[in-house]
Amino acid sequence: MPTHTGFDLSNLRTGIRSMYLGLDRQAARVRAAHLNEVTRFTPYAMGTNIGCAALVLWVLGGSRTPGLWLWAGVLTTLCALALLGWRRHLGRRRELASVPSVHRATLHAALLAGLWAVLLVLWFPALPPTRQLVLAVLFTGMLGAGTFMLSPLPLASMAYAAVFSVSAGAALLLSGEAAYLSVFVLLVFYALLSAFGALTLWHKATALLLSQDQAVRQEHMLAVLLRDFEQHAGDALWEVGPDGHLNHVSPRLAEMLGLQPADARRAPLLTLLAERCSEGVAALREAMNQGRPFRDLMLQRRVDHGVRHLALTAKRLADSGDRTLGWRGVMADITAKVEAENSLWRLAHTDSLTGLANRFTLRDALAGVLREQRGAALLMLDLDDFKSINDTHGHSVGDQLLDAVAARLRACVRPGDLVARLGGDEFAVLMTHSGRADDAVALAQRLVDALRQPLDLQGRRLLIGASVGAALRVGEGVSVDEWLVQADTALYAAKGAGRGQHVLYEAGMGERSRRRAAVEAGLRLAIERGELALHWQPKVDIERWQIVGAEALMRWQHPELGSVPPSEFIDVAETTGLIDELGHWALQEACSAAMGPLAGLVVSVNVSPSQLRDAQFPDRVRELLRRWQLEPSRLELEITESVFMDDAPGVLARLHALRDLGVRVALDDFGTGYSSLAYLRRFPFDTLKIDRAFVNEVLLRRDARAIVQTIAQLAVILGMRTVCEGVETQQQLAAVGQAGCDEVQGYLVSPPRPLAEFVRLRGGWRSQSPLRVALH
């Protein structure tokens, strides 16, 4: 059936054709509904016809001939048969009706009208004017009423009106009265108006039926979807009435809340939740009292094996007067998601071996102390002879030793102090309860004394000591990096003083400070003198074993100091503001190499936090791409999440600007930071570089393998590639490949090489196999 609701001739013809010729199920339902509507009036209509026939007999009085009695008998018989048919189907409502059934209804209407037409044509002309007037009024009423009652069946209604109109016109003309001509014109106009009204009613009724039919189908579909949702979805629908009781408890909802069938009747939902949940019910109660929709409101339900995390989303149900009728919403079990996030949060914030805070957590804590200008001291600690113990007794003993050291460090500090492992055998302690020098020295001595005591591991008694360097928070202009450098300088001095020593940082202490000054002075002229160079380390696709990219690593050959390691001069460049100049030079050299010897490869360049804090940095990258005519997708900028620590919104805006250029962005050292997951949600990185710390332990620790595999799976879900740094052995390569990583980088493939050597390596790469790669 058509669903048009506008009334025009085209829609009218289409609707009538569908009703009287359509064979589809919807047309059959519409026919049945209209026939039911007409059938409902059958006793009234037939009774009216019999009454009107009796009135005619009474009006005609002495003119009642045998023919008139025969007419009345036939009419009464027809009406009686119609009533008997109605009586047989009483209580049975049609759901579907065939095309012949509506045609039969049209025939019945025409037959009934024809009987009345016989009366008009045969008896009306011979009657006196007064009786003609009575019959005229009677017939006019029957014409209007019958046309209206038959309006659900348009052809029957028009057939009825047409027979009545034609017979009435014939009777008027046979009367021979000239005045009846005007009555005939009025009769035609009245008949047309009645037919138009009947068609209008039918059209609107049909549109309403179609609309109701569509609503029923939609409601049925919604019910099916809701049942399917409750049976198969991980979430559960819930609804409470004005009294707060659940209207329905699905199996999924019962399983989530541990409900029994009687619980829904026993108490309101809030009471049931308060009995089962340790957190979140008060917030839910407050949200409901406020009457505003809420989303992802967290609840924690106590269960035998721990805690189940639930998230509720709902909106208030209200009537037209804004009176609350209840609440309806969805309850989701997000336990797996919360546990996964907590696990990754712990991985990002803690050292996987010892459970201590990691380097990035320490940096965050240092930044907080500096921001709040609290008194504090930073102590850096190195173990003495750890390497020899690790090499002599094996990695398992070394790991146990580090774990035992962590336990002793925790025992030496006060609540509120932070203990961190920075990597290898290097630890740090942030003393926050005091910023006095004597307290820092006392803590340093306690640490040295605690680690001087023997350790019993695997039946062996091991002696190990430690050197400690301490630096107080002095002045307001000190940055996190400067504070770390001060503590590291003091540690260097302590190690130089012998085993088991501690030193408090003082301005201008020792050779290390002088070397730093020399590095800073030389670095200012290094670019101008041509002392800097880029070495290139290949990135290899594990599956195809092809070089697909190269990372630019800066090297500096000082005329007096010799080869200065990047870990030394990059730190100086960042603290002195020279990093922007070095970074721009590295980008220029990388773009030049990409358009020359490294054509076809993605070149990666490390970008410092200082560069990304510069609002003009995206414009500088755009200018370099234009100058060298470099395809943006062949340039990859590597960042660490420390870039977000000071100006996260600004850095994210500049990263998005770089992505808009088409430049690739990689997150370096992923898995070691304090908020990696948060920034993965806020920026679509192209690549995640898994820190070498995990790769080093991938063969030794199951949790390290799990971390690598988790990161690889996360990258696949987010549409990112993974690169494992520091792969040095075939076994590590096999492990990261099985974990699902895409690329490797490390000494197993090649150390960083000057450009010419890298080109030769690439040229002969086809003859190499991952099983025969030798260290270079």
Side-chain angles (χ1 to χ4, degrees), residues 1 16-25 27-28 31 97-99:
M1 290 290 292
I16 292 175
R17 187 182 302 112
S18 177
M19 178 170 171
Y20 284 90
L21 298 176
L23 300 178
D24 58 281
R25 190 173 182 85
R31 284 192 292 266
S98 64
V99 170

Side-chain angles (χ1 to χ4, degrees), residues 40-75:
R40 187 166 63 91
F41 290 105
T42 295
Y44 308 106
M46 296 303 102
T48 301
N49 274 270
I50 294 172
C52 288
L55 180 62
V56 167
L57 292 175
W58 178 74
V59 168
L60 292 184
S63 303
R64 293 193 287 267
T65 64
L68 186 62
W69 283 107
L70 177 62
W71 171 86
V74 172
L75 179 66

Side-chain angles (χ1 to χ4, degrees), residues 663-702:
V663 173
R664 299 170 60 86
V665 181
L667 182 58
D668 203 2
D669 299 336
F670 181 76
T672 62
Y674 68 99
S675 56
S676 300
L677 291 176
Y679 292 111
L680 284 185
R681 295 178 60 191
R682 298 174 66 182
F683 183 79
F685 292 94
D686 298 283
T687 306
L688 300 182
K689 299 193 71 175
I690 300 175
D691 187 67
R692 67 180 63 245
F694 297 123
V695 176
N696 290 340
E697 296 182 347
V698 73
L699 299 175
L700 306 174
R701 302 182 58 84
R702 291 172 55 189

Side-chain angles (χ1 to χ4, degrees), residues 159-180:
Y160 182 88
V163 172
F164 256 86
S165 301
V166 170
S167 62
L172 290 172
L173 293 176
L174 290 174
S175 298
E177 294 290 337
Y180 284 173

